[in-house]
Amino acid sequence: MFYRSLNGHYKKVNFETALKKGLAEDGGLFFPEKIKPLKSNFIDNLENYSDIDIAYEVIKQFIGNSINEEDLKEILSNTIDFDFPLIDLGNNIYSLELFHGPTLAFKDVGARFMANCLGYFNKNKNIINTVLVATSGDTGAAVANGFFKVKGTKVIILYPENKVSEIQERQLTTNGNNITAFRVKGSFDDCQNMVKKAFVDIELKNKFNLTSANSINVARWLPQAFYYFYAVKKLKKNNLVFSVPSGNFGNICAGIIAKKLGLPIDHFIASTNVNDTIPRYFKYQVFSPKPTIQTISNAMDVSNPSNFIRIQEMFENFESLSSFLSSYSFDDNQTLEIVKKIYSDKKYIMDPHGAVGLLGLKKYLANNSSKTGVFLETAHPIKFSKHIENTIKVKLDIPEKINKILSKKKQYIDIKDYGDFKKKIFSMH
Ligand SMILES: *Cc1c(COP(=O)(O)O)cnc(C)c1O
């Protein structure tokens, strides 16, 4: 298996190189050269396989010869040691809960997989990989947790000041050891732009082995395909549609990979907050990001979603793309309204991201009532306790995983702009 650059100028690389480079040398995203559908015998009998066996079948073609079977299975069992419950909310609507990992958001799977792979590649080597990651809230926490004390790695997390929740900030800034947090004056897109710029910066490239741990990295992005298999394994239904609360569009893009691998999925819905570049793209066929707007579903405060180009790559043209994918945006009032309604009707507590997912699903099902809908509940509501508690008027229990970090001191380095960022990276090493 090889990866090619979506900018088209760079030579093909294997999984190990794609992971370590993050982005191709021409600045393009890596994309698998081929996607081979899985055997229908496997797809039709998912309930006979463990979650780890499913993960192995799904990921192995993307790893190729980079990791042998035994080691890959061990990496997967270190990655997936928690559950992905599917909650029946009635009326053919299900919530797929992806927040039962160590940092309580769905990004744990990708971050842990990538960290385990990099630790494996560096096992007998004396090199240090510097992992750069921009976060809109949850990625940084998952990456910090996944890479904590992983041999041969240093992690730098860039997060936007005052734009992540209190619990998210604690998760980013209280690790120490090989993890450093950079607090950036600006938005998530500013953080992401610094990371992208760093990758094509000769001075940085000559001094450090840089890699990224955003969903632009294939090792972070592809394992997210597992979720869709787990949902189908549990549901055993046809006419399935998935609504994915989307920011950088990595998760939904992995869902489309799962479909390409043979999962029986009829339609995807990319649900966004008011950062609506993609819903506008579907309406007007123009891709024109606006400045990022801060919302209560802050992990989706992204106006220039990096992975959309990967989605476009999988479709011939706009018509085939838009017949398979719909995209809707919702504001914070609508989000909190549905949180309140679902709590009062079902006693089910959602986080703002899952709520946006449910809004998109309901909108689609209104005209497609014969379908079964799954929305991804991507974070634990406690991460956004302020908004959720105010809305449902109930105090949330604090999970043990969060309690532990609340008393730890936040440590971060302030960053003004790219020049400042560069100076501070050099002074750290
Ligand atoms: C990151 C994140 C998203 C958005 O996922 P993308 O892959 O960036 O589209 C949605 N919800 C939560 C809770 C997240 O942390």
Side-chain angles (χ1 to χ4, degrees):
M1 157 61 73
F2 289 99
Y3 293 85
R4 60 189 169 85
S5 163
L6 289 183
N7 283 2
H9 307 300
Y10 185 66
K11 68 175 187 295
K12 291 165 189 162
V13 300
N14 68 7
F15 173 75
E16 177 172 356
T17 307
L19 181 156
K20 289 190 169 172
K21 287 197 176 295
L23 271 180
E25 259 161 45
D26 62 6
L29 270 69
F30 285 117
F31 195 80
E33 203 184 11
K34 271 208 283 290
I35 301 170
K36 204 172 105 215
L38 302 174
K39 294 204 175 69
S40 55
N41 190 25
F42 168 71
I43 305 273
D44 295 340
N45 294 290
L46 289 174
E47 68 272 23
N48 299 334
Y49 293 82
S50 72
D51 284 358
I52 290 169
D53 288 341
I54 290 176
Y56 176 73
E57 290 302 319
V58 171
I59 204 75
K60 73 177 177 194
Q61 68 173 292
F62 300 109
I63 308 299
N65 297 330
S66 290
I67 306 174
N68 67 45
E69 174 170 350
E70 192 186 338
D71 290 322
L72 180 55
K73 284 190 170 160
E74 190 181 326
I75 288 171
L76 288 168
S77 52
N78 291 334
T79 302
I80 298 162
D81 58 1
F82 49 88
D83 197 18
F84 307 88
L86 187 73
I87 312 297
D88 184 351
L89 293 177
N91 301 327
N92 272 336
I93 291 182
Y94 295 83
S95 165
L96 180 66
E97 293 188 350
L98 302 180
F99 56 75
H100 295 272
T103 69
L104 306 181
F106 82 88
K107 298 198 171 74
D108 282 321
V109 167
R112 277 153 62 111
F113 182 75
M114 180 184 166
N116 275 286
C117 289
L118 192 52
Y120 169 85
F121 292 137
N122 285 349
K123 203 164 44 181
N124 301 315
K125 299 195 180 111
N126 223 349
I127 59 170
I128 301 272
N129 286 103
T130 299
V131 178
L132 286 184
V133 61
T135 185
S136 55
D138 292 322
T139 301
V143 168
N145 184 278
F147 281 82
F148 187 64
K149 295 189 178 169
V150 168
K151 183 172 180 293
T153 67
K154 273 192 182 164
V155 176
I156 296 172
I157 300 167
L158 292 86
Y159 73 97
E161 181 175 2
N162 295 328
K163 295 189 175 71
V164 302
S165 80
E166 176 62 25
I167 287 181
Q168 287 172 327
E169 186 169 32
R170 296 248 173 218
Q171 289 179 316
L172 301 175
T173 57
T174 56
N175 295 282
N177 206 287
N178 60 330
I179 316 289
T180 306
F182 280 9
R183 186 175 79 166
V184 175
K185 280 213 182 316
S187 68
F188 167 73
D189 290 280
D190 296 323
C191 297
Q192 180 157 271
N193 285 339
M194 281 190 201
V195 171
K196 285 184 176 164
K197 210 162 157 186
F199 277 98
V200 289
D201 186 319
I202 300 291
E203 279 178 327
L204 285 176
K205 271 219 291 222
N206 289 343
K207 179 109 197 318
F208 307 110
N209 297 306
L210 291 184
T211 191
S212 86
N214 283 97
S215 52
I216 54 177
N217 195 303
V218 295
R220 256 278 330 267
W221 164 53
L222 289 167
Q224 299 174 153
F226 304 161
Y227 308 138
Y228 303 86
F229 283 83
Y230 298 156
V232 173
K233 168 183 168 179
K234 289 188 165 130
L235 261 176
K236 299 185 209 116
K237 287 198 181 179
N238 288 324
N239 294 331
L240 285 181
V241 301
F242 280 84
S243 173
V244 185
S246 295
N248 222 357
F249 281 65
N251 200 2
I252 192 165
C253 185
I256 297 170
I257 293 273
K259 160 81 181 172
K260 295 263 168 203
L261 291 173
L263 267 194
I265 300 172
D266 281 4
H267 200 80
F268 279 92
I269 301 134
S271 302
T272 75
N273 59 30
V274 291
N275 294 287
D276 61 351
T277 305
I278 302 305
R280 281 186 292 111
Y281 172 77
F282 278 97
K283 238 189 216 156
Y284 307 116
Q285 291 193 50
V286 278
F287 188 93
S288 71
K290 294 179 180 167
T292 316
I293 299 167
Q294 194 173 350
T295 74
I296 58 170
S297 49
N298 65 316
M300 310 196 295
D301 292 352
V302 181
S303 69
N304 189 1
S306 299
N307 286 290
F308 194 65
I309 183 171
R310 283 180 168 146
I311 295 180
Q312 287 174 307
E313 183 64 23
M314 287 188 273
F315 294 88
E316 298 252 294
N317 51 37
F318 182 79
E319 282 65 39
S320 59
L321 171 60
S322 57
S323 68
F324 185 66
L325 181 70
S326 306
S327 191
Y328 310 121
S329 89
F330 302 93
D331 65 24
D332 284 353
N333 286 333
Q334 293 170 296
T335 305
L336 291 175
E337 237 164 66
I338 191 107
V339 167
K340 195 168 168 181
K341 178 166 162 45
I342 294 295
Y343 181 70
S344 94
D345 291 355
K346 311 275 177 193
K347 291 286 163 291
Y348 186 65
I349 304 177
M350 293 189 296
D351 98 293
H353 304 77
V356 169
L358 176 57
L359 284 166
L361 183 60
K362 280 178 164 288
K363 182 156 177 168
Y364 180 79
L365 290 179
N367 294 320
N368 296 274
S369 54
S370 62
K371 312 266 184 197
T372 296
V374 179
F375 69 96
L376 306 194
E377 179 38 302
T378 44
H380 192 298
I382 195 73
K383 293 188 109 167
F384 312 94
S385 51
K386 197 176 79 190
H387 297 295
I388 301 301
E389 289 176 350
N390 276 340
T391 301
I392 63 172
K393 313 281 181 229
V394 170
K395 190 106 190 105
L396 303 181
D397 294 332
I398 300 183
E400 188 44 42
K401 289 168 195 158
I402 298 299
N403 234 339
K404 278 201 304 237
I405 56 168
L406 288 182
S407 56
K408 289 195 186 163
K409 191 172 152 41
K410 294 189 235 178
Q411 285 179 303
Y412 47 79
I413 295 171
D414 275 312
I415 303 292
K416 286 197 296 283
D417 52 27
Y418 186 73
D420 195 27
F421 161 76
K422 221 168 132 173
K423 201 169 76 199
K424 284 172 177 156
I425 289 202
F426 275 105
S427 69
M428 276 171 58
H429 287 76

